[in-house]
Amino acid sequence: MGRYHGRSTTVLKPRTTQEVSEIMKWCNKRRIGVVPQGGNTGLVGGSVPVDNEIILSLSNLNKVRSFDPVSGILVAEAGCILQSLTDYVAPHNHIMPIDLGAKGSCQIGGNVATNAGGLRLLRYGSLHGTVLGLEVVLPDGTILDQLTTLRKDNTGYDLKQLFIGAEGTLGVITGVSILTPPAPQASNNVILALPSFDHVLPLYQTVKRQLSEILSAFEFIDRTAYDLAVKHGQGRALSEEEVDGAECFVLVETSGGRREHDEEKLADLLELLITADKPLVNTGVLSQSPAQFSSLWALREGVTEAVSKEGKAYKYDISVPLSSFKDVVDGTREHLRSKGLLHDKAVKYVLGYGHVGDGNLHLNIVADAYLPEIQDALEPYIYEVVALHRGSISAEHGIGAMKTHALPYSKSATSIALMRKIKAVFDPHGIMNPGKVLELM
Ligand code: MLT
Ligand code: ZN
């Protein structure tokens, strides 16, 4: 992001859980802050020190401990890269239940610590459901071994849930037991060009009805996001004719058991959409090969990279009702215009993309530089809009360092007070990832 900077002098790279435990004991005694760091791909500054904390890199804890091809349960160390785990389970015809644009560098421990959402949540649900067990080193060095491989374990408080999404503020995740689903026999995708955003909702309803159990992703990019992705060479651009008059695009993915059956369903859907009396889409481009499948996905997954190549990004990852996605994006653009900030030397683009199926909008503001006047125009404006919709200020990216001050827009005072009590139970000296999730007192 180029937005968060610490001034740490020390990175430690332990190779075993025991070494993590010794480091934590040592730091706890001396009240030294520790920032656990995975692939460092987060978007809210959660893995960047706020001061001179020690950075605890998990990248050397990178072994698969076990995989059971019958149950699909994988036990891996925290530093395993998500893509490597995908490659590891692939020959056994399994996939990881989570997938995201950063898969080539993000690590499973970081994914779990941040409760990353990503592109498969619609189909496989969140990590709160797919993670079966965790091994965590607590701030005082105690190793909490809850690395079970049980589908069912209804024995009182489910402590692991507290570490999922705690962003390293309660302990260091060193091992993860996770349920990997069977690989679909066939995956297809299609990118649909829509004449108006108003068509997204009815389209989603139609697609759900027509594709039912084989629908595995329904992702949205607005025209600005599409144009930026193409400008920065992400994925395969559609022809001029195909994008003509399109206000936004939707990428639909199917994952099912029989290729012919799924292809037929998708082709029928496309025909229905295009030949309807009032067509919901202008056109649709179906992938015809694995390379095209990846390149259609790259248009959507590549927006993040395109945005950061274009300039400095203010990123808001919010949950709001789907029907308000466009109003939120347009409203923000108008708000910036009214403040005189929409021009070449300040804000260049306001764009929206995200996970429609999960009600999760990524609202990005791309500027020439990070400027205080832009920041002041965006906040609390955006958080107030979210609160008005009873939405979430962070749908999937977490709180990190970026949103600690904004937590009250999504959590009540009672909730925050309880979170502080829980933090004090696990980390009484406040050494774990200080200044993240909860503001420093
Ligand atoms: C995405 O959905 O592409 C990611 O959450 C990253 C982003 O918001 O840019
Ligand atoms: Zn996302």
Side-chain angles (χ1 to χ4, degrees):
M1 297 285 295
R3 191 169 172 185
Y4 304 97
H5 306 275
R7 41 183 204 93
S8 300
T9 56
T10 309
V11 183
L12 298 176
K13 301 179 90 177
R15 291 182 182 279
T16 62
T17 302
Q18 195 52 44
E19 283 181 9
V20 175
S21 163
E22 279 158 34
I23 291 168
M24 290 315 305
K25 249 183 240 162
W26 198 87
C27 291
N28 197 44
K29 241 186 236 152
R30 290 163 182 80
R31 315 288 192 253
I32 295 171
V34 177
V35 180
Q37 196 173 84
N40 211 11
T41 61
L43 296 166
V44 290
S47 57
V48 183
V50 289
D51 193 12
N52 62 351
E53 303 91 299
I54 279 178
I55 296 173
L56 183 66
S57 162
L58 276 305
S59 48
N60 281 335
L61 263 102
N62 55 8
K63 287 174 226 36
V64 169
R65 292 200 189 155
S66 65
F67 177 67
D68 175 359
V70 178
S71 63
I73 296 170
L74 171 76
V75 180
E77 292 180 346
C80 291
I81 290 174
L82 181 58
Q83 182 65 53
S84 320
L85 294 178
T86 300
D87 296 343
Y88 184 92
V89 298
H92 303 281
N93 294 317
H94 277 256
I95 58 168
M96 293 300 286
I98 174 171
D99 182 29
L100 56 156
K103 57 187 149 234
S105 355
C106 65
Q107 299 171 7
I108 191 69
N111 296 149
V112 174
T114 58
N115 186 24
L119 306 161
R120 288 191 181 145
L121 195 134
L122 181 72
R123 167 63 73 91
Y124 300 110
S126 94
L127 291 168
H128 281 294
T130 49
V131 169
L132 302 177
L134 289 179
E135 178 188 81
V136 181
V137 178
L138 301 180
D140 67 359
T142 305
I143 298 171
L144 178 66
D145 181 357
Q146 295 210 326
L147 213 45
T148 59
T149 52
L150 309 170
R151 285 295 296 270
K152 296 179 87 172
D153 176 21
N154 203 3
T155 51
Y157 303 150
D158 190 358
L159 294 177
K160 71 170 183 292
Q161 298 296 353
L162 280 174
F163 299 96
I164 303 174
E167 301 180 50
T169 60
L170 301 178
V172 185
I173 295 175
T174 49
V176 175
S177 163
I178 190 164
L179 187 63
T180 70
Q185 296 299 304
S187 288
N188 296 297
N189 62 8
V190 59
I191 194 148
L192 303 166
L194 281 68
S196 154
F197 177 84
D198 295 337
H199 293 201
V200 175
L201 253 175
L203 176 70
Y204 184 42
Q205 285 172 306
T206 310
V207 168
K208 273 200 292 190
R209 197 178 51 242
Q210 294 294 121
L211 297 178
S212 59
E213 81 292 348
I214 64 167
L215 174 65
S216 54
F218 191 97
E219 293 282 320
F220 160 77
I221 52 176
D222 71 10
R223 183 62 192 253
T224 315
Y226 171 86
D227 288 341
L228 276 180
V230 170
K231 178 175 170 189
H232 292 283
Q234 309 291 324
R236 168 188 159 215
L238 308 187
S239 70
E240 260 177 49
E241 210 176 54
E242 284 162 341
V243 295
D244 189 32
E247 188 176 80
C248 60
F249 301 83
V250 162
L251 187 144
V252 174
E253 185 196 65
T254 61
S255 302
R258 260 190 41 228
R259 179 164 298 281
E260 306 75 49
H261 166 264
D262 296 358
E263 276 172 2
E264 210 177 294
K265 264 187 140 174
L266 210 48
D268 288 352
L269 168 73
L270 211 52
E271 178 151 351
L272 176 88
L273 292 174
I274 293 172
T275 59
D277 283 347
K278 281 193 191 138
L280 287 174
V281 305
N282 288 346
T283 182
V285 178
L286 263 166
S287 61
Q288 307 288 349
S289 65
Q292 277 184 16
F293 176 85
S294 306
S295 114
L296 289 189
W297 259 121
L299 277 171
R300 163 62 187 90
E301 288 183 279
V303 176
T304 310
E305 200 172 313
V307 160
S308 52
K309 283 183 176 159
E310 185 64 38
K312 297 293 181 198
Y314 293 84
K315 285 179 151 307
Y316 294 92
D317 157 45
I318 58 182
S319 279
V320 284
L322 174 52
S323 53
S324 63
F325 274 24
K326 184 174 179 336
D327 291 347
V328 171
V329 179
D330 290 351
T332 305
R333 193 180 294 112
E334 283 320 305
H335 174 72
L336 289 165
R337 198 193 307 279
S338 74
K339 301 258 175 205
L341 289 167
L342 204 65
H343 54 80
D344 257 13
K345 293 277 165 290
V347 171
K348 300 202 278 184
Y349 300 102
V350 178
L351 55 137
Y353 56 101
H355 318 284
V356 167
D358 312 328
N360 178 186
L361 171 68
H362 295 310
L363 167 64
N364 282 208
I365 294 90
V366 189
D368 204 38
Y370 290 127
L371 299 173
E373 53 270 36
I374 300 178
Q375 179 73 31
D376 292 347
L378 292 173
E379 293 180 26
Y381 170 82
I382 291 173
Y383 295 135
E384 283 169 358
V385 170
V386 171
L388 219 68
H389 286 101
R390 285 186 68 93
S392 170
I393 59 153
S394 180
E396 62 171 2
H397 293 171
I399 297 296
M402 178 186 169
K403 301 178 194 167
T404 52
H405 66 288
L407 203 52
Y409 287 99
S410 279
K411 286 261 191 295
S412 68
T414 311
S415 304
I416 295 175
L418 275 170
M419 283 166 71
R420 283 201 179 278
K421 280 189 187 164
I422 292 169
K423 166 83 175 165
V425 167
F426 284 92
D427 183 22
H429 304 306
I431 64 160
M432 282 308 321
N433 212 2
K436 312 294 165 51
V437 180
L438 295 164
E439 273 184 309
L440 288 174
M441 295 281 260

